[in-house]
Amino acid sequence: MLDKFNAVEGVTEYLIPDRWTSGHVAHRLISAYETLRLMPDRIGPSGYGSAWPSVRLEFADLLEESARTYR
């Protein structure tokens, strides 16, 4: 698990070991969390909602509702 320096690009390249070690697992977990952090939106199911369409109210319905409110 050594880093190899690339003089042209100035970055280090991670060398994958022959066997999985605790250091390699930690490196993979960190890179996974960095990838999740860069995702554009939250991850997971959407919030609570309803699949029912919105209800259209007529003027008579609104009048009745307001009359119930003022009683």
Side-chain angles (χ1 to χ4, degrees):
M1 191 167 86
L2 300 171
D3 289 341
K4 182 172 73 174
F5 181 73
N6 188 341
V8 177
E9 296 177 6
V11 297
T12 59
E13 181 182 326
Y14 182 74
L15 298 176
I16 300 172
D18 294 335
R19 294 183 183 196
W20 283 66
T21 62
S22 61
H24 178 64
V25 172
H27 177 77
R28 295 296 298 241
L29 282 173
I30 290 169
S31 65
Y33 281 115
E34 287 174 353
T35 302
L36 290 176
R37 186 178 52 87
L38 297 175
M39 297 294 281
D41 201 5
R42 69 181 190 90
I43 297 174
S46 62
Y48 294 104
S50 175
W52 288 94
S54 60
V55 178
R56 293 185 71 187
L57 295 176
E58 294 183 4
F59 186 69
D61 297 330
L62 294 174
L63 285 177
E64 186 178 335
E65 184 179 334
S66 66
R68 267 190 263 137
T69 305
Y70 289 115
R71 285 186 207 166

